[in-house]
Amino acid sequence: MDITSILEEYKKGTLSLEAAQAALAEKDSSHTAQTADLGFAHIDLARQERCGFPEVVYCAGKTVEQSVTILTLLMKKYDNIIGTRASKEVYERLLPDFPDVQYDDLARMVYQRKDTTIVNGDRTIAVVTAGTSDIPVSEEAALTAEIMGNKVMRIYDVGVAGIHRLLSRADDIRKANVVIVVAGMEGALASVVGGLVSQPVIAVPTSIGYGANFHGLSALLAMLNSCAAGVSVVNIDNGFGAGRLADILNRMR
Amino acid sequence: MDITSILEEYKKGTLSLEAAQAALAEKDSSHTAQTADLGFAHIDLARQERCGFPEVVYCAGKTVEQSVTILTLLMKKYDNIIGTRASKEVYERLLPDFPDVQYDDLARMVYQRKDTTIVNGDRTIAVVTAGTSDIPVSEEAALTAEIMGNKVMRIYDVGVAGIHRLLSRADDIRKANVVIVVAGMEGALASVVGGLVSQPVIAVPTSIGYGANFHGLSALLAMLNSCAAGVSVVNIDNGFGAGRLADILNRMR
Amino acid sequence: MDITSILEEYKKGTLSLEAAQAALAEKDSSHTAQTADLGFAHIDLARQERCGFPEVVYCAGKTVEQSVTILTLLMKKYDNIIGTRASKEVYERLLPDFPDVQYDDLARMVYQRKDTTIVNGDRTIAVVTAGTSDIPVSEEAALTAEIMGNKVMRIYDVGVAGIHRLLSRADDIRKANVVIVVAGMEGALASVVGGLVSQPVIAVPTSIGYGANFHGLSALLAMLNSCAAGVSVVNIDNGFGAGRLADILNRMR
Amino acid sequence: MDITSILEEYKKGTLSLEAAQAALAEKDSSHTAQTADLGFAHIDLARQERCGFPEVVYCAGKTVEQSVTILTLLMKKYDNIIGTRASKEVYERLLPDFPDVQYDDLARMVYQRKDTTIVNGDRTIAVVTAGTSDIPVSEEAALTAEIMGNKVMRIYDVGVAGIHRLLSRADDIRKANVVIVVAGMEGALASVVGGLVSQPVIAVPTSIGYGANFHGLSALLAMLNSCAAGVSVVNIDNGFGAGRLADILNRMR
Amino acid sequence: MDITSILEEYKKGTLSLEAAQAALAEKDSSHTAQTADLGFAHIDLARQERCGFPEVVYCAGKTVEQSVTILTLLMKKYDNIIGTRASKEVYERLLPDFPDVQYDDLARMVYQRKDTTIVNGDRTIAVVTAGTSDIPVSEEAALTAEIMGNKVMRIYDVGVAGIHRLLSRADDIRKANVVIVVAGMEGALASVVGGLVSQPVIAVPTSIGYGANFHGLSALLAMLNSCAAGVSVVNIDNGFGAGRLADILNRMR
Amino acid sequence: MDITSILEEYKKGTLSLEAAQAALAEKDSSHTAQTADLGFAHIDLARQERCGFPEVVYCAGKTVEQSVTILTLLMKKYDNIIGTRASKEVYERLLPDFPDVQYDDLARMVYQRKDTTIVNGDRTIAVVTAGTSDIPVSEEAALTAEIMGNKVMRIYDVGVAGIHRLLSRADDIRKANVVIVVAGMEGALASVVGGLVSQPVIAVPTSIGYGANFHGLSALLAMLNSCAAGVSVVNIDNGFGAGRLADILNRMR
Amino acid sequence: MDITSILEEYKKGTLSLEAAQAALAEKDSSHTAQTADLGFAHIDLARQERCGFPEVVYCAGKTVEQSVTILTLLMKKYDNIIGTRASKEVYERLLPDFPDVQYDDLARMVYQRKDTTIVNGDRTIAVVTAGTSDIPVSEEAALTAEIMGNKVMRIYDVGVAGIHRLLSRADDIRKANVVIVVAGMEGALASVVGGLVSQPVIAVPTSIGYGANFHGLSALLAMLNSCAAGVSVVNIDNGFGAGRLADILNRMR
Amino acid sequence: MDITSILEEYKKGTLSLEAAQAALAEKDSSHTAQTADLGFAHIDLARQERCGFPEVVYCAGKTVEQSVTILTLLMKKYDNIIGTRASKEVYERLLPDFPDVQYDDLARMVYQRKDTTIVNGDRTIAVVTAGTSDIPVSEEAALTAEIMGNKVMRIYDVGVAGIHRLLSRADDIRKANVVIVVAGMEGALASVVGGLVSQPVIAVPTSIGYGANFHGLSALLAMLNSCAAGVSVVNIDNGFGAGRLADILNRMR
């Protein structure tokens, strides 16, 4: 009901003063996310409507208690829910109440995926990974995208030191709609993939490597300085962020 | 012609040995970009076909002579050509031969834009900028996207210190297909915009700010750590990279 | 007794030579804080008089024994005493002797708060926090301010990725006399709050976030580069410093 | 006029539908700062009302043309206006139209100060400076505070290497309401002053010093790590930010 | 025996060819430290003669076995021996064979001090420490100097936030021949002490402090940038290095 | 068989269509390493042929399960196999199946060395180490080179603080074909050795040292800035990389 | 003449005392490079004999006068001489006296190359460069190697964003004995080349790139973290060091 | 006159009340340096008495006017005066009034040295320098020490890449009382000298070198991490600080 309608209905008496006030106030706050206030957290309960997927819970730095409380609230309301950087204890606390809850050891992700519909048609996300040691981050990305309703193609251990392993998969990668590249050490894979495909490349630096990797700084800087067009970067080890962005790109009209 | 056909035509004699060898060799090199080898540079002459836009010339670190030689070769072959980080001297050297060449002082971009067709339908790119001092980078992004055939909406000087300036433009920004956010100092604009829209946000940190900005490091780190979903980051002051990536996103099916 | 009086009393004989010497020497050292010298520590016993609150004990890097000895001395003398970055063991060692001692697990603060008088009238300190994971630092700030005699309003989990959560609390925040903003990741909350209020904003970066947070560096730099006026910054995770500074601002005439 | 009144007046017919719609829409945007949109800049024209002083123009990174245009608009409307990091050319372009405009070579500040009323009663701001080489930043702070209507006491060249220079001024410093400490090199002055006074100390690191100063990083880190209570920090060389924050503290009730 | 003597004695027949060769070879290698080669270590057995104190063993990074082997060799040969950064296990393994061996928990130093002669006359070394948390490093410095034969005066917990604690000890400090200043956080104590005394000041930054201390970087940079003359710096937490250097300064003629 | 031969043999009928296709396809992929695809890893099974030694497994970041699976596959096929940064658990899981498998505690390397042939003639690799604490990295380098078939000369604990220890071994070092220098702290050994020999020097910085070593950064930067010719650098603590490169240099014609 | 001979000849009287002393002293100093002492510089006049090429002069930080004096001394004595990082003024000052002297504007190298003999047989050095902007550093490397007597193959502008440009040159690169890879931005080229060849790869990071390149840090870290075997790294922009090391590798037996 | 005397003289009437008060007050301030207050600077006029040499003027960051004013005041009062980091213009402005003033182009030092007495007996300071490019910093150190009355021995261009150049001067260096080592690049010279001598070594890192020198950071870190005892470090390029500290060490009893 727009302002005009409210005003006219009020004039006609269809709306009481209170009702008209409420309608206008509601309109005013319609941008405001509906939230559940837990004191230590404001849970956004309108995000699925706004963005296509409910709020995701970043569990690092939260107590197990806090994580479980928030996830319980969300898992009751939604079919598919993700908690990232979660300890196994969070999962074990949720399991009695939510038999569908799952836990991925590598990705340290707790999640409920009751709805496995593919929402983005035939658009596939390729998750391309330099080395086996980067798989935990890759799985965080891949699982995130899958739970959000995307088809994911995993192409693992194709780092640039053996460029033909990558080239032999180039045609597969080109079939994807979006490409996520996960690499530690020198992070060169992002640039090479960026030069091979015309799709957008989301680069995820990982903290894997010998000393001068400096916890992912080397791969991060390399990816930011990529000479290939179409490459953008998310935070070190942030597989979730890459998976979520790929989902957003897949939902673009 | 696939391998089987080549072999069969050769057997039939439709193809001579030389012709079959050439056909197989050509097939082998079909992935190889056709390039013009200038000694100091290999110009990619198949990029428009592969990626939708010709090679862009990064002029920093090249001599004026080198930049002019490369741009001359490209401007003869293509209608729309971009040289980034170019000195005005490059422009002045090109002007006699290319009357359509233009130079943007702020963006330090030399370009030829003979074809102004909008190639990406009604998909608009919003370029949102924190402060007036960030405009040179914003213009590099906006011009890049425009020359590549996109509609661009400029929304300048809406930094977060006056959040209502931004909120009053939120509906405009939401109409875009892709959003580029350009900000220096604390780079907070990327996170706030990322929370307001459901489109992908390309964040460009700039080197604008007081001392502890450390030439863009503060904005870069802030953007990489964005708590908003859908934000990815390109290099400091890399307006071109953002404009190009936005163009790629606009071309996605 | 001023110099003139001492001299005159000495001349009159009211003061012996020794007494006059002592009186002059004492005067000389009157600026010197009265301290209890424990060998490994000089405890300032005049700080409450000088600054309105007794010395606060930073327990990190001290042995449990050292922390307990210092806190025992102070808790005997004063009603309200704070030990920051304290292990639970310090608390357990103090409890038998000080039944009022309390321990806050999140803030890792041990304290005695026997006097709950509000000393700063109706001046409130707002502690505004980006995410649930920042609460330990926020609680260090809030508890510090409360124990020092301030009213504290906690506004938690209103990070900028959902700007309307923050805006819906803007009027509450504006009622405070001083605002503490606690945020990790990109630390953008300080700038946005700084733009919404005309009060001073004390920004506390936290070490919460994915890899390129670099233990709080991203939020620290962002806050130092804030484009909003009135924002100043304390050390990473230094909730105590922020709470103490807010207390000082609240005591200003 | 609140929502109820609008609705009732509309029902009564005192307001037309259009007038009621406008009234409601205006109400909606009342938080929005009134701005003048210059395309390259949104000038905030309600800031004096909101914050007590008009918008300040950061001229670095802006063209001379842009700076002059913005300052012209503001200087016409307000008596006291500040442009920071301005080249002398900006001043020379403004002078013909604004005979009161002044330029400070050291602080690189252009300003108009037609109103010299002291607005904050007898509250003085002390600007304490370690060395002569730090004066440009100190003057940016002092001038900013003065133009905004504060009394400023300058105490220059009292660095800690000769602690008695500082101690001999301690009583003067204690008379101030707020203390700004400006220091490069090791930035130790902030901690020492912080220990001498019970007022809030705003620390400004400067980029003055030999090599391992790293453009102000040494002083910045030292100030952030100050062991004294009541010290908070602004950006390197950001004299303006310190002066503005001191003004805000002086305006606190 | 110099070359001339050797040659002449050889000519005279006092030296056989073999003896003359040996004498010349010995001369050649006289600069070469006599070492015990353990395979994994070359123990310098001439250092006491050359430098006044035997080789000191840095135990970090060595296995317990390696540390014990080296210390055993040295403790047999010399009265006073130091092992730094040693685990308690090293001490416990040495104790059965060396009843005089001692272990300092705070300094993590294992040592044998059978000779307690003061070798440097009345020259005292002052070890001045900012806070109680810096004591482990201070004790490493003080113990090192004591075991090497110096008188040490400990002045602890006199950080700059309470400058009068320090000033009241200034006359004591001035009595020392060399001053070691140990401080974490902002490291300002080195500059203030450097300005109070005319003796050389050896500054030791420690890794104590909140987040932006960055493991001692803040204090290190502050000390390197000290505006006071006569201050030089050793590595972060390197109490041993400071104690050793103070010993060297005390041995200067 | 070259393209011409394939074509002619096909024409003649010596090759069937399928065989010719296969031959051409094989030719196409002949650069492609033959790999075993384990899903989480692509094992390169042609590396020994290409590079003289099979793929080496970097176990850090891999699960024990993954490491064991990969090593099992390789140890079955090849005599000599290396796993770096391996936990002892990997070794214990392999031992039942591979009785020749060995584990080096210091170097944290698991390996099988069934073939002890020296493949590089009399070319020796000198591994020169600054201190005993650097031995784990040195052993990673030395073992790597030995398992690959090189003679290794270990020269340990000859750091520059006692330059004669090094000089007395200079002639030995000069006999090597390649020199690996392993040093932490200030990393000066690389420059001194580089000035003493005319062979190539591979410098390996280690993370050994007091605080301002910053996990190897000091040695890394020192080695990169070496004023001696012929010095190049590998990653911090990367003994494996140095050993492998030395092997490559030894295999040069 | 060895020690025995000297002694015996002295005994026989064939050598006078003075002659024997001189012979022994000379022997003692035979390791000592013969140097020309210019006060401000010690020129090594025995380096060609020791290392195969005379001393190279690093002109940065030297006055023109100093550079010219040193180069004059060397150019008189040797045919081939190199001055790196030289201003054109150095060249112009040398030209009147040394008609063969040349200057390379890009590499900023002044040199005399009177002897163009190829000393290393058919061993070629490949200099592979990512982009045209990296050519100044590449030329420093290539010229250095050529003047020292090597054959150099230049392969320029084959960065990884267009991997087929590189692959099409792979066979050429494999013909080289040593490969120098010069790249800025993300420095990925080193890893890709390292994976393609079995020769040693010397990686030279350059300072070319957008902001987060941080003056070559991104490429430096990437190259140090290379996942390819056989890659080692020299300093940023240090083309000379790479050329010299390649020459050393080419001289290996 | 001590307190007792003042009191007794006052009692006797030898001192009036006023005189006694003044005498006591003067005593109180006797620690306070007598200073000349120029507004922008407090010149310490008692430093020669306290520390043996007048205040030294750091001219960087000061205007020419400020530098000249301060130096004029000091040069009138003292024979020997130093201004560091001075432009030649400062010298030219002083010359008309001070015919003895001198300027050193390399060290950028302006100074007056009317008194050339050697004050420290036969104690010599050795200034040992790695390369010719480090001479400007070395000269700042050497000149400072000389003007303060010390004998200086310059030993230049003896960097570690040719260790014998250094060893051949070792005996000379050992004759000094204090050794200053000036080195850029990898800064290894400090460690090697530290191992050769038993005197204290003051290490001065310089900003000379290729890219990864990072403006002196590499040499700074190397020197801080020196494995040799007796080495301490001053700021990058801070020749003055080293010269002054050497003077202080030479004045020790």
Side-chain angles (χ1 to χ4, degrees), chain A residues 78-91:
Chain A
Y78 300 103
D79 281 352
N80 289 11
I81 285 297
I82 295 174
T84 63
R85 306 291 154 113
S87 67
K88 194 153 196 176
E89 193 183 348
V90 170
Y91 161 72

Side-chain angles (χ1 to χ4, degrees), chain D residues 1-15:
Chain D
M1 197 155 45
D2 62 6
I3 291 183
T4 308
S5 313
I6 297 170
L7 286 173
E8 287 179 342
E9 300 227 341
Y10 171 68
K11 201 169 193 175
K12 282 189 282 178
T14 330
L15 285 177

Side-chain angles (χ1 to χ4, degrees), chain F residues 64-95:
Chain F
V64 169
E65 195 59 42
Q66 291 172 335
S67 298
V68 168
T69 305
I70 299 172
L71 287 164
T72 295
L73 188 151
L74 290 165
M75 288 184 173
K76 278 186 183 152
K77 185 170 162 75
Y78 300 105
D79 282 350
N80 289 11
I81 285 297
I82 296 174
T84 63
R85 306 293 154 112
S87 67
K88 193 153 198 176
E89 193 182 349
V90 171
Y91 162 71
E92 286 158 356
R93 291 273 299 278
L94 288 166
L95 193 54

Side-chain angles (χ1 to χ4, degrees), chain B residues 3-4 6-8 10-13 15 17 20-21 24-25 28, chain F residues 3-4 6-8 10-13 15 17 20-21 24-25 28:
Chain B
I3 291 183
T4 307
I6 296 170
L7 287 172
E8 287 180 342
Y10 171 69
K11 200 169 193 177
K12 283 188 281 179
L15 284 176
L17 176 58
Q21 280 175 315
L24 286 162
D28 200 32
Chain F
I3 292 185
T4 307
I6 297 171
L7 287 174
E8 288 179 341
Y10 172 67
K11 201 168 191 176
K12 284 188 280 181
L15 286 177
L17 176 58
Q21 280 176 317
L24 287 163
D28 199 32

Side-chain angles (χ1 to χ4, degrees), chain H residues 76-143:
Chain H
K76 279 187 181 152
K77 187 172 160 72
Y78 300 104
D79 281 352
N80 289 10
I81 285 297
I82 295 173
T84 62
R85 305 291 154 114
S87 67
K88 194 152 197 177
E89 193 183 349
V90 171
Y91 161 72
E92 285 159 355
R93 289 273 299 277
L94 288 166
L95 193 54
D97 294 328
F98 300 93
D100 292 310
V101 76
Q102 299 184 60
Y103 186 73
D104 188 282
D105 265 310
L106 281 178
R108 292 176 49 218
M109 193 185 281
V110 63
Y111 60 99
Q112 180 176 267
R113 189 187 182 191
K114 293 162 78 172
D115 179 352
T116 57
T117 318
I118 296 298
V119 297
N120 292 324
D122 62 346
R123 295 177 172 177
T124 301
I125 294 165
V127 180
V128 183
T129 303
T132 301
S133 304
D134 300 313
I135 289 184
V137 177
S138 299
E139 281 299 313
E140 193 183 62
L143 271 174

Side-chain angles (χ1 to χ4, degrees), chain A residues 4 7 10 17 21 28, chain D residues 4 7-8 10-11 21 28:
Chain A
T4 307
L7 287 173
Y10 171 68
L17 177 57
Q21 281 177 314
D28 199 31
Chain D
T4 308
L7 286 173
E8 287 179 342
Y10 171 68
K11 201 169 193 175
Q21 279 176 316
D28 200 31

